[in-house]
Each structure stands twice: as C-alpha cells, then as structure tokens.
Amino acid sequence: MTANGFYEEIIIAGFGGQGIMLTGRLLAQTAMEAGKEVTYMPSYGAEVRGGTANCMVVLANEPIACPVVGRPDSLIVMNKASLNKFAPRLKTGGLLIMNSSLIDTEPQLDDSIEIITVPADELAVELGSPKSANMVALGAYLQKRGHLTPDAAAQALPDVLAKRYHKTLPVNAEALRRGAEFAKACCTSRAKKQ
Amino acid sequence: METVFTRTPTFKDCPTHYCPGCGHGIAHRLIAETIDELDIRDRTIGIAPVGCAVLAYDYLDVDMIEVAHGRAPAVATGMKRTNPDKIIFSYQGDGDLAAIGTAEIIHAAHRGEQITVIFINNAVFGMTGGQMAPTTVLGQITATTPQGREAAGEGFPLQVSELLALLPGAIYVERCALSGAAGIRKTKKAIKHAFELQVGGAQGFSLVELLSPCPVYWRMTPAESMEWIEKEMTKVFPLGRLKG
Amino acid sequence: MSERVLMCGNEALAEAAIIAGCDAYFGYPITPQNEIPAYMSRRMPEEGRVFVQSESELAAISMVFGASATGKRTMTSSSSPGISLMQEGISYLAGAELPAVVVNVMRGGPGLGNIGPSQCDYFQATRGGGHGDYRTIVFGPSSVQELVDCMPLAFDLADQYRMTVVVLADGILGQMMEPIVLEKKPGRELPPKDWALTGAKGREQNIVRSLWLPEGSLEKHNNKLQAKYEQVQKNEVLCEQYEVDDAEIVVVAYGVAARVVRAAVNKARENRIKAGWIRPITLWPFPTEQISKAADEFRIFLTVEMSNGQMVEDVKLAVAGKAPVLLHGRPGGGVPTVDEILDKIKQLSIPTKS
C-alpha cells in the first residue's frame, strides 16, 4: 500500500497443468476491465521446465513500479512445493490462500499472516469439474481481498480462456463463486498458537 | 562489315581487375549474356560475394548488392521472399560458399529458395592471397598448406554440390568447367537453364558450380591452368548434372 | 483497435510492427523473446507478408539486409547472445546505409548467462555494436505501451536516416503483460527510396555496398555517416524528467529500472527528500544536454541500472565533472526493488539534510 492507497502484489504458484498462468491472467484481465493498473509476469523459459509454474500479478490505482514481485501481499499456492518456496516471502500482514487438497502441512508463519485453507480440488470435484480447482482458489482470494468480485472475474473469463474451452465457462464461473462462498464461511483455519 | 560477335550490353565496357587467365571474367560474361537473352535486366538483382568477385557490380550492369562473407544465400532469401517477381542470383566463391557460408547455402537450398547461385570453385582463396579453401585438392600447395594439403588434419576437398544435390529443396545442381570452348559453351547452357528455371517460377533452388582457373595462386600459366582443371580438378569434382 | 487490451510485450511489439507496415520478419528462436517469432509466424502470413525462421541470427540479419535493400520495411528480433551474432549484419547495414529495426529483449550475460531480465547490452547497443565507426538509434522503453509506441517511430527513423534502430527491451518487458492501446497513427513524411534495388528498369543500375576502396573514399563515406549521426543527435533525443528543478538527488534510469526508480522517488518525496529523476527514452542519441543542464546546479546523480554500470558512463560524460555520479547496479538478472533504491537515496540525502 502507498499513500494513494491500493497497491497489491500477488504470487500464484503450483505445478504445470493446474492452470496457474490462466489464473494470473484472469486476475489481471478482471482488474484491467475494472479500470485498474495491472501487470502480469509469468515464469518463463528454463524456469518453467520441470513442472513448476508461477506468475506474479500487481494491481494498483497508480503506475506500477515493477511487475516482478519479491515480497507478495498475497499468495495463492496450489501445491506443497510452492508453499515451501513462496510462503516465507509473504509480507507482514499478508494473505495466504492454500490448497489444502494437496497440502497436508501447516506452514510456520508469522502470526500476522492470514491463512485461508481451501480444499480447492475437492470443491472442484464436487462441482463436477476437477480442473476448476484454480478458479475455486481465485474465488476465495477475491472474496478475502474484496477489491474485485468473483462475478467480474467470471465475466472476464471468456477474454482469457481459449475458445475451445468456452463450454467450461459456466462451471468455472460456478467454481469462482464456490471458492468465494467457502472463504466467506470459514475463518482463519489456523488456531493462533501462542 | 557484318558484326559476328559483340559485347552483350549487361556486361559493362570496362577493364576488369581480374588477373590474366582468371575465370571470373568469363563467368561474368556468361551471366550477362543470359540476362540479356532472357530480357530480364530490369528485374534482376545480383549479389556479389566477399572474394575476388566483390566488385562484380562494377562489371555487371544490373541492380547489385555486396554482402558479408558467406551470407549471400540469406540475403537472397530476404530479397526473393519479399520480391517474388524479381530474379535473384548470387555469385559466390569457394571460400564464401563452401567455408564461411556453409550454413547459409545449405539452408537456402534446404528451404527450396527460388534463387540461382553461381558457385565459382577455383580451389583456393584468391583475394586474401592464395590460402587453402575447402575445395583445395589433396597435395595442392597453397599459402597455408606449404607442404600440400593433407587429408589428415586438413580434410578431403569438400564436394558441396554433391551435398546440396541431396536436398529435396534443390531442383537443379550442375557442375561445369571454364576450360576450353566446349566447357564454356556447356557452362553457358547450364547458367541459362538455372536462370530459366527461376524465370519460369520453378519451385526450388538452383546452383551451377564452375571449376574456374586461378593461374596466379595455382602457380601456373593460364594454359596450364586449363589443363589442370581438366586433368586434376575434374577427378575430385566430376562434371555433369547432379540434380534436375 | 483503440480499446485497452492485455498483451505481453513481445506480442504487443510484434503487432505494433505489423501496424507500422513491417513487410518482412526474419528471426531465430531464443528466450526470452520467443513469443515474437511465434506471433509473427501466424500474423504475417495472415497479412500477406513475409515470415522466415532463419538457420541462425547471422542469416536472420542477412535476410533483413536483403529485404531492406529492396526497399521493404523489415525487422528481426533476438536476445543478447543472438544480437552478438547479428553485429556482423548490423555493421554492414550501417555501411550500406540500409534501414532496419532490431529488437533486443536482453537477458543476463556474458556468454550464455541466464534468461533473466538485464540491461547488460547497453554498451553494445549504444556504441554501434559491430566493427566500424557507426551508430544505431536505440530506444529503451519502460512499459509495454511505450514499447508499442516506439515501433512505428523506429521504422520511420530507420527509413528517414537509413539506419538501424535498436529497440532495447529486457526479459521483463518482453514477458510481462500490461494493458495497452494499439492504434495506427500517422507517421512521418519520408524520403523516397530511390536507392533501393528494384531491378534497373528505365534507369541506371543501383548498387548497395559497404566497400569503398579508392583512396579517401571511405573517409568521405564515414564523414557523411557522421554528419547524419549529428542530425540524429540534434533532432531525435527523447527523454522524460520529473521533479528535477529542486532536486538534490537526481536518479537516472531507463527501461524497467526506471519504473522502480519512479516509485522510489515518489516515496523519497513522501519522506521529504528532494529527489527527482531523468529517464532517457532514446539511449542513443543520449539526452546529454538535459543531464548536463541538470548538473549546472549542484546535485548528486545516481544511476540505477540492471548491469554493473554502463549508462553511468554516458551520465558522467554529460555531467562532465560538475557533480558526483554514483551507481546502483544489479547485474545477472537482478532487479532492483523500490526499497533498495529508496535506501540508497536516503543514504545520499544525509549530508544535504539537517
């Protein structure tokens, strides 16, 4: 956050095939359509070989300094390796959205960090669309942060999703909403350890 | 008096810088004649190499460019792709085409670029002072093979035309010799055929290799050079149509 | 198109080149600019224009040389190691006075280096790069929109001055997505390309060459090039500055580094530190006059670069000893953060504060 107010740096991470890049692009597209300043930075080249994927999104009400995010305000992690890699980088008071379907450990983090554990894969399977776990997680993030709505993301989805997948638009919109509902209902999962 | 022979207009009326007995002048004339006979001067672009023929634009009266050593086939690609109606030819020596420009010539042929390449093989680097070329024959003495070229360490003479003929993109590859009237007549026919293919829109790459005399760096008289082409060079570089 | 669209730098510059009338693209894959040839391979044939994937960067720049010699608008792109290979062709383009646009999406070096973002090719780009006494015009855009906006100008300047124009981006700018507006704007009025090789129809032959053998002819040719470069230096400098008038510390940065500097200077001002910035947009011609003028009053100059200090030499030449010039450099793929630049500014401000 700066004097102008809104400046949010996000890292989204997981493994290849979880739709990490699409999630980041959707967040960026949604923010752009809402009139915000936005940058989206993918991991690229040799970095993405070997199955890990991450991207960085910056949303702001002012010109964005750098699209490379060192210390995120928010982190969405879809697998354990990504949690281990990125959770220590979270800013004080940051937000962690964690896919508990694939992460069985609880991270040791500063108490100021809010942790939302979302069983994203399970919720996606319940919706009949196992591949929509990324949308569930994004929905949870949008709900917690509140600067963009899951419905706005659903509206932006056709702009980032390849045409051949457009038949999945309704179920992905549903997944965004399901993630948001889950985040709304749950409190921070972590009992504050003294 | 009846005129039985005259300088073809595209071959400029000026003395060349070539050494006595050199083959470049003959090759230039044959290209100029071909351009005039096919009436394509106003849509032909020629590419001069780095080598003795770097000043070819001083002798051939067509639009011409002089390019980096070995890159002529890539330059030709850039020209032909953007100007499919133009007739593009490159004129390259054995250092240019068979040494530093190997990648460019192979890939231009491989892509089937619709260009015509005139390849002058005189088994030596002329402009830089008679050093070994990839096409230098075994035992040949050059500035950098003072004991004669040896296969061990220096390799055998490189038969580029044979290599290129293997590529599906090459539709016409022929080797001729600028030795004697018969050889020159055959060469003219081959050059003209290569140009005709391009003029007719044939889908592919064409190349004519010319075994060409370099008396100075062969340490021979012009007459001995002609004989050496026929007796020695053609053993390593047999004449004839290799493709098409 | 005039609505905002989200595009990565590589694809955006490719589309901008198409809008600017690029007739032919030639290139060879290398990270982090692979989106450019991939995009061109699809879009150029759609527009009835030319795309060729070459066998090497040497061939790519030579294809550009050939297409340019026939009067076509043409470009290539690559990243640092590939641009090194292209220096041969860029030198020939300079000698033969052919227009071309070369995009360098820089990565870390030397050697194979890495694929991280870098500004380590500043020297190479702004000093010509290849052999011989020549210059290239160099843009150092700092956003995807600016990258898009400099493409038509790059083609116009290339044609106007018959020079190579280098667009110096980096891995971040090439890969990042930002909202942009793509639209065709009227270009410059340009001289006819009567030198082009089009077939000598109804005229004398045209010759395109870089060889000048007769005694004195190359010196004359070089002096002609030099006169042209002086015109470029005089007329084509682009630069942006902010809060320099009362600044005690002026931060000089270009490209992605300049974005970070802008944020750091804003924070410094919030901390009541009198900081400002100067951002060269053309790296050659360099905004020497603007920086020299700023140095007429005593200030500290801090250059921030994603290298171990290359542009800092041009800043020193401009400042000409009138003020101290310091460097904050991050080589090898390192990207400076707002806080780290702010810290540097704070350190420098101590002697002049309180």
Side-chain angles (χ1 to χ4, degrees):
Chain A
M1 295 270 181
T2 69
N4 292 343
F6 181 61
Y7 200 101
E8 160 100 343
E9 298 178 281
I10 307 128
I11 293 180
I12 305 170
F15 54 74
Q18 284 186 306
I20 299 300
M21 302 307 188
L22 179 73
T23 310
R25 286 197 53 193
L26 177 58
L27 178 56
Q29 182 77 24
T30 309
M32 182 187 78
E33 290 178 12
K36 295 198 184 309
E37 295 291 337
V38 58
T39 63
Y40 160 87
M41 181 79 199
S43 50
Y44 59 90
E47 204 186 335
V48 299
R49 311 283 175 261
T52 64
N54 69 76
C55 64
M56 297 160 173
V57 179
V58 183
L59 313 175
N61 285 337
E62 62 184 278
I64 291 163
C66 186
V68 177
V69 176
R71 304 202 58 203
D73 298 289
S74 299
L75 174 63
I76 304 173
V77 285
M78 298 301 286
N79 69 349
K80 203 166 160 180
S82 301
L83 176 75
N84 294 339
K85 183 172 178 188
F86 292 109
R89 301 188 194 176
L90 265 165
K91 273 186 202 157
T92 306
L95 170 67
L96 172 65
I97 306 282
M98 191 171 100
N99 177 15
S100 58
S101 304
L102 296 179
I103 304 172
D104 52 11
T105 51
E106 202 163 281
Q108 299 300 309
L109 293 171
D110 173 338
D111 280 352
S112 72
I113 287 166
E114 184 177 9
I115 303 177
I116 305 293
T117 57
V118 188
D121 285 274
E122 274 109 319
L123 294 176
V125 169
E126 276 173 26
L127 292 169
S129 177
K131 282 193 162 182
S132 300
N134 57 341
M135 294 296 130
V136 174
L138 182 63
Y141 163 80
L142 294 174
Q143 177 63 38
K144 281 316 288 186
R145 275 303 192 223
H147 44 68
L148 299 163
T149 66
D151 282 342
Q155 271 173 25
L157 195 52
D159 295 325
V160 295
L161 198 63
K163 277 232 160 56
R164 63 184 182 278
Y165 298 122
H166 276 199
K167 58 181 184 297
T168 68
L169 287 171
V171 73
N172 279 316
E174 190 52 40
L176 282 161
R177 280 190 285 273
R178 186 72 192 85
E181 282 161 18
F182 184 90
K184 205 171 180 179
C186 89
C187 321
T188 50
S189 72
R190 184 173 59 156
K192 298 240 165 157
K193 287 175 198 151
Q194 301 308 318
Chain B
M1 208 163 47
E2 190 193 356
T3 304
V4 291
F5 182 83
T6 184
R7 179 183 289 270
T8 195
T10 291
F11 196 27
K12 290 192 203 171
D13 189 4
C14 64
T16 74
H17 71 291
Y18 297 119
C19 310
C22 171
H24 278 307
I26 308 168
H28 286 7
R29 173 172 64 82
L30 299 181
I31 292 168
E33 283 176 1
T34 300
I35 289 168
D36 289 331
E37 286 165 20
L38 297 176
D39 194 19
I40 52 172
R41 179 190 171 268
D42 61 4
R43 58 186 181 113
T44 296
I45 305 173
I47 304 175
V50 170
C52 288
V54 65
L55 296 173
Y57 47 76
D58 282 345
Y59 313 127
L60 293 172
D61 188 23
V62 291
D63 273 8
M64 284 201 77
I65 190 168
E66 160 251 298
V67 305
H69 200 20
R71 314 291 171 236
V75 174
T77 301
M79 289 179 161
K80 187 69 180 183
R81 292 291 186 106
T82 51
N83 298 273
D85 57 323
K86 300 289 189 289
I87 305 303
I88 313 290
F89 77 92
S90 79
Y91 185 99
Q92 302 176 254
D94 42 40
D96 197 82
L97 183 142
I100 197 167
T102 324
E104 284 76 13
I105 194 69
I106 291 207
H107 284 277
H110 175 59
R111 288 189 301 265
E113 298 298 341
Q114 294 169 44
I115 59 171
T116 302
V117 176
I118 308 301
F119 168 32
I120 306 294
N121 177 3
N122 59 11
V124 78
F125 278 65
M127 191 171 74
T128 48
Q131 296 85 352
M132 181 184 73
T135 51
T136 294
V137 303
L138 290 183
Q140 187 181 338
I141 289 170
T142 72
T144 50
T145 54
Q147 310 299 322
R149 182 179 192 168
E150 285 183 52
E154 285 147 1
F156 289 91
L158 189 61
Q159 294 167 309
V160 187
S161 293
E162 278 79 355
L163 270 173
L164 294 173
L166 293 171
L167 302 173
I171 52 169
Y172 174 57
V173 180
E174 179 153 0
R175 183 183 287 121
C176 306
L178 290 176
S179 58
I184 291 168
R185 270 199 303 277
K186 270 191 191 161
T187 304
K188 168 72 184 297
K189 231 174 120 186
I191 290 174
K192 195 164 178 183
H193 181 62
F195 272 89
E196 278 169 344
L197 283 170
Q198 192 180 163
V199 171
Q203 302 292 305
F205 170 93
S206 60
L207 176 141
V208 183
E209 174 178 344
L210 313 185
L211 304 185
S212 179
C214 181
V216 170
Y217 289 115
W218 291 356
R219 298 162 174 84
M220 295 176 195
T221 65
E224 285 165 353
S225 298
M226 296 293 185
E227 203 174 311
W228 193 74
I229 288 177
E230 284 171 14
K231 284 201 172 143
E232 298 301 326
M233 265 189 104
T234 52
K235 278 193 221 156
V236 189
F237 301 108
L239 303 183
R241 200 176 274 211
L242 297 160
K243 184 81 172 277
Chain C
M1 254 195 284
S2 60
E3 85 232 47
R4 290 212 312 170
V5 290
L6 197 61
M7 275 180 105
C8 76
N10 285 334
E11 293 192 351
L13 79 87
E15 186 60 38
I18 291 169
I19 293 170
C22 176
D23 296 303
Y25 171 92
F26 307 96
Y28 182 85
I30 182 170
T31 308
Q33 62 84 56
N34 292 317
E35 293 76 13
I36 303 173
Y39 190 87
M40 286 302 204
S41 70
R42 179 170 60 82
R43 286 284 290 121
M44 291 298 265
E46 274 175 16
E47 297 287 325
R49 306 187 204 172
V50 173
F51 167 86
V52 179
Q53 179 171 328
S54 64
E55 62 271 31
S56 70
E57 289 88 350
L58 283 165
I61 195 74
S62 297
M63 290 173 187
V64 164
F65 190 81
S68 176
T70 67
K72 305 292 181 184
R73 279 200 155 175
T74 178
M75 71 173 286
T76 184
S77 64
S78 188
S79 178
S80 310
I83 297 290
S84 291
L85 282 172
M86 288 184 185
Q87 293 308 329
E88 174 191 81
I90 296 173
S91 172
Y92 277 74
L93 285 162
E97 294 191 87
L98 292 179
V101 174
V102 174
V103 176
N104 180 0
V105 184
M106 291 180 284
R107 52 187 265 173
L112 203 49
N114 66 14
I115 57 166
S118 180
Q119 297 182 327
C120 59
D121 301 341
Y122 179 92
F123 280 151
Q124 185 193 51
T126 58
R127 268 62 182 166
H131 63 283
D133 208 353
Y134 74 94
R135 294 286 187 175
T136 57
I137 296 170
V138 185
F139 283 100
S142 72
S143 68
V144 178
Q145 184 67 57
E146 199 170 54
L147 189 54
V148 161
D149 293 341
C150 79
M151 290 306 290
L153 185 54
F155 279 104
D156 277 2
L157 290 177
D159 282 346
Q160 181 175 342
Y161 294 102
R162 296 177 59 183
M163 283 176 72
T164 293
V165 179
V166 175
V167 176
L168 204 58
D170 65 73
I172 291 178
L173 214 47
Q175 293 293 324
M176 76 187 288
M177 284 182 149
E178 263 186 316
I180 52 158
V181 176
L182 278 162
E183 54 192 349
K184 188 168 174 62
K185 292 174 193 152
R188 292 192 180 192
E189 209 160 295
L190 296 167
K193 294 184 173 180
D194 50 10
W195 45 265
L197 307 182
T198 55
K201 190 172 191 173
R203 60 162 167 79
E204 287 188 0
Q205 74 172 148
N206 279 342
I207 298 171
V208 171
R209 62 170 163 184
S210 61
L211 181 71
W212 300 90
L213 287 178
E215 199 182 330
S217 62
L218 183 58
E219 186 170 5
K220 202 171 147 202
H221 179 62
N222 266 283
N223 285 335
K224 179 188 163 204
L225 295 181
Q226 193 52 41
K228 178 167 84 174
Y229 301 152
E230 277 161 19
Q231 284 302 304
V232 175
Q233 181 82 59
K234 199 173 133 207
N235 298 325
E236 307 299 348
V237 173
L238 289 175
C239 152
E240 193 186 14
Q241 48 183 298
Y242 174 76
E243 303 275 15
V244 169
D245 285 349
D246 72 335
E248 292 163 358
I249 299 162
V250 172
V251 191
V252 187
Y254 72 97
V256 162
R259 302 166 66 111
V260 187
V261 163
R262 184 177 57 203
V265 165
N266 284 344
K267 280 197 175 180
R269 286 272 168 184
E270 284 165 23
N271 284 298
R272 297 170 175 279
I273 298 171
K274 286 183 176 172
W277 50 256
I278 296 179
R279 180 174 76 89
I281 299 171
T282 50
L283 305 178
W284 195 90
F286 192 72
T288 306
E289 256 178 57
Q290 288 82 343
I291 291 174
S292 172
K293 192 163 163 273
D296 283 341
E297 280 181 58
F298 185 85
R299 317 171 197 278
I300 296 173
F301 286 80
L302 172 67
T303 302
V304 176
E305 292 181 70
M306 283 146 66
S307 78
N308 265 338
Q310 300 190 11
M311 184 179 70
V312 67
E313 295 192 3
D314 282 337
V315 176
K316 283 181 179 169
L317 284 170
V319 168
K322 290 184 279 187
V325 178
L326 294 118
L327 166 73
H328 180 70
R330 290 289 305 272
V335 183
T337 65
V338 175
D339 288 342
E340 117 194 8
I341 297 170
L342 182 62
D343 282 349
K344 199 87 192 169
I345 293 172
K346 282 179 178 168
Q347 283 167 25
L348 296 174
S349 75
I350 291 166
T352 54
K353 300 300 285 185
S354 71

